[in-house]
Amino acid sequence: MKKILLAALSLLACMAFTACNEQKQEKAEAPKTVTVMIYSEYIDPAMLEDFEKKTGYKLQLELYEAQEEMIGKLQAAGTSQYDVVIASDVVIQQMVHLGLIAPIDTAKVPNRVNIAPQFMGQAYDPTNTYTIPYLWGTTGFLFRGDKVDPDSVSYSMLFDASKTKGNFSLLEESRSMLSMALQAIGFDANSTKQEEINKAVELILKAKKDKNFLGFDGSVGGKDKVLSKMDWAAIVFNGEAANAIAEDSTLQFVIPKEGSFMWVDAMTLSSKAPNVEGAYAFMNYILDAKIGAQLAQYINYATPNKASLEFVSEDFKNDRVVNPTESEIKRMVFLADPGDAAKLFDDAWTIVKTR
Amino acid sequence: MTTEVFEGKLTTRSHMRKFGLLLTGPGMLWLLVFLLLPTIFLLVMAFAERGSYGTINWTFSFDNVKKLLGFSSFGWAADNLVILWRSFKIAVVTTLLCLAIGLPMAFWIGAHSKKVSTLLLALVMVPSCTNLVIRTYAWMILLGTQMPPTWLARTLGFIGEAESLYPGTFAVYIGMVSCMLPFAVLPLYTSVERLDWGIVEASRDLYAGPIRTFYHGILSQMMPGIVASVVLTLVPTLGMYVVSDLLGGAKFILIGNLIQQQFFGTALDWPFGAMLGIVLIISSVLSLVVFQKTGGKSFV
């Protein structure tokens, strides 16, 4: 019995040693890695190998499902574990304030010239120092019914009880929904004036009393309800709309004529990035014209890379849901960080959800 | 001094103190680290202030109490109190429904042979093995527009032609009750099993009617089980918001939503969230004390 135990022990020791050795070797020989924190299923897997071939850096992905989760991980586990963090425009200012991301040395990312002008000097990063856009999209109405001119649809379609033709859902996110209600009335989507927000609250409360109002839903939930014919209309992001229309071509997606908001997911530099050079290499790689085209078509989201438009297929380019027209882009805005007015939006949302 | 007899080494008071402390030590430590300290931290945070971008300013203030009472950026309104009231209403109704369904169920399970009743109890528990969100999604599909329950309710005229059972109040209660029922049935069943039927017999012998027999002979014996099942259903339902959001269409919020909104919403107001958490703890403890004092005593 003792012998067997001894043999097992020595075997275990051997295994441990070799394992250690292997690990050491790997560390010495393997190329330096670039760790990117990114939404799950948000990159073409073929790029992992391609990136290593082109730059010599190994690409490692850390996945997350929600913005709060990403910020929580950065705050708890520290920023020194990640090089590049993909973050949505609405949380950029907060991340800067919390010291989670650092300014980007723009000279190290020469492909920056490819970025379309509409992503420069925007509210989420007025000085263009913290972000490099990754993919972007829009927000609008997904609905069922006769074909209409996409430029003629107004917010009254949902907010005027005499015009709703069936069940509808509104967006379950305070800042986004209130900004759309502000635009519906004719105010600035980024207004932080109390009396204007108050009017937006009243507008949503009025819509809540409509017998066709089914509830508040996230973009995916709204899409599912329209697809299952439970809803006639819902407010969704264009990515969800494109998926829904691919499944059921009778559906339509429009950007209301009073405007709505665009969103962008941007690459940011972690404030304690262990591999800063590698991080810049990744940003530059994504901004390459051909890679940008490949990424956009794989994920089916619009690319912020104006040079990529040459390399995307005609079908993709003409898909109005994914790639909005000039006039649509003109009536959309990015949501600015509300700063201390966040409190105002939160109080307003409590009223919306209580009465 | 009286001598007390305890198990094993715990034979005298001094032994009892020494070894008892040793034995209860780990449990006490657990409660200290995972219950008492966090609660104290929550209490301290509740009187702090929100800084910008979700940071916390550790200055003592009563702002959160004022906010709780309804003073917001939009002037005074009863919204927070309405939310509290609504959460209570749903929790109490859910608990009553669970008791109303759980009591007959417990008796029915108890009436079977040991073998069968074990199987039936297992069947009651099995749904809890599935994740709550998944079970809730199942209800969403089941109560949807084109499903038999909605069709039946329509044919019988309970709902209008274009309406469906989900989303709505009915769906919320279905989801809540189906989620909490196992927790209500188990303690009730234990009580049924321990019932002293001799008392029932005695009551019948003394010519008490069925109602009096049930009230004095059975219900009073079952009080511990009823209290336990009320505790196990009322407290969790007070803080629950996933079920009500998914099945109710997220039209109205409960205290659970309000707390979640403070920690993950736009405001990132952790101190106010802590204050709401404290209120939730106090109100659930208070309601249980009141219940035990009034409900419990009326039977004895």
Side-chain angles (χ1 to χ4, degrees), chain A residues 234-305:
Chain A
I235 301 177
V236 303
F237 299 136
N238 62 340
E240 263 82 55
N243 291 342
I245 292 168
E247 256 181 75
D248 182 347
S249 58
T250 62
L251 299 179
Q252 293 173 76
F253 178 75
V254 297
I255 311 281
K257 64 179 180 196
E258 294 93 340
S260 78
F261 67 93
M262 304 181 265
W263 49 268
V264 59
D265 288 325
M267 296 180 274
T268 61
L269 179 67
S270 171
S271 60
K272 283 187 198 132
N275 186 1
V276 178
E277 292 303 316
Y280 290 143
F282 178 76
M283 293 175 186
N284 208 41
Y285 172 80
I286 292 294
L287 280 185
D288 178 82
K290 275 186 187 159
I291 298 298
Q294 185 189 340
L295 179 69
Q297 290 184 103
Y298 183 83
I299 306 288
N300 206 19
Y301 277 5
T303 176
N305 191 328

Side-chain angles (χ1 to χ4, degrees), chain B residues 217-231:
Chain B
I218 295 179
L219 219 51
S220 59
Q221 283 194 72
M222 287 193 63
M223 222 40 217
I226 292 175
V227 170
S229 69
V230 167
V231 171

Side-chain angles (χ1 to χ4, degrees), chain A residues 302-350:
Chain A
T303 176
N305 191 328
K306 62 177 193 287
S308 294
L309 294 177
E310 267 183 57
F311 299 98
V312 295
S313 71
E314 259 335 277
D315 279 352
F316 180 79
K317 208 191 296 185
N318 293 331
D319 186 346
R320 196 171 166 164
V321 177
V322 178
N323 291 295
T325 62
E326 272 308 311
S327 69
E328 282 172 331
I329 292 175
K330 267 202 196 107
R331 59 179 189 256
M332 284 186 289
V333 293
F334 284 106
L335 294 183
D337 175 66
D340 282 333
K343 219 173 154 181
L344 210 60
F345 283 104
D346 213 60
D347 288 347
W349 196 243
T350 305

Side-chain angles (χ1 to χ4, degrees), chain A residues 30-197:
Chain A
K32 266 182 103 181
T33 55
V34 179
T35 312
V36 177
M37 212 179 176
I38 188 168
Y39 267 117
S40 61
E41 296 176 42
Y42 210 31
I43 194 167
D44 182 353
M47 289 178 178
L48 293 168
E49 224 173 277
D50 188 51
F51 176 71
E52 191 175 351
K53 218 177 352 178
K54 282 190 180 138
T55 62
Y57 293 112
K58 199 174 151 90
L59 187 59
Q60 191 185 333
L61 301 180
E62 282 287 333
L63 305 180
Y64 66 82
E65 298 292 341
Q67 295 288 306
E68 297 91 31
E69 181 194 341
M70 179 264 293
I71 292 177
K73 265 188 189 168
L74 283 177
Q75 278 181 307
T79 47
S80 58
Q81 296 187 14
Y82 312 102
D83 298 305
V84 178
V85 180
I86 312 264
S88 291
D89 52 345
V90 283
V91 297
I92 300 287
Q93 286 302 315
Q94 185 193 351
M95 288 171 77
V96 171
H97 189 91
L98 295 173
L100 300 177
I101 52 177
I104 293 167
D105 184 353
T106 47
K108 297 262 174 73
V109 191
N111 282 340
R112 251 178 112 251
V113 292
N114 289 341
I115 301 174
Q118 83 209 56
F119 299 97
M120 295 309 227
Q122 287 295 349
Y124 61 88
D125 184 16
T127 51
N128 302 316
T129 38
Y130 289 98
T131 60
I132 288 181
Y134 183 76
L135 288 170
W136 70 285
T138 65
T139 318
F141 300 167
L142 176 71
F143 63 99
R144 193 178 284 283
D146 302 330
K147 291 274 176 232
V148 294
D149 173 16
D151 287 315
S152 70
V153 175
S154 154
Y155 273 100
S156 64
M157 176 178 152
L158 297 187
F159 286 130
D160 184 344
S162 66
K163 287 185 182 161
T164 54
K165 290 179 194 152
N167 290 340
F168 67 96
S169 300
L170 295 177
L171 202 54
E172 166 74 327
E173 207 277 309
S174 53
R175 178 88 173 91
S176 315
M177 194 58 239
L178 285 164
S179 83
M180 290 182 102
L182 282 166
Q183 278 175 311
I185 304 169
F187 296 132
D188 176 11
N190 282 314
S191 166
T192 51
K193 290 196 191 102
Q194 186 161 335
E195 61 274 25
E196 295 185 358
I197 294 173

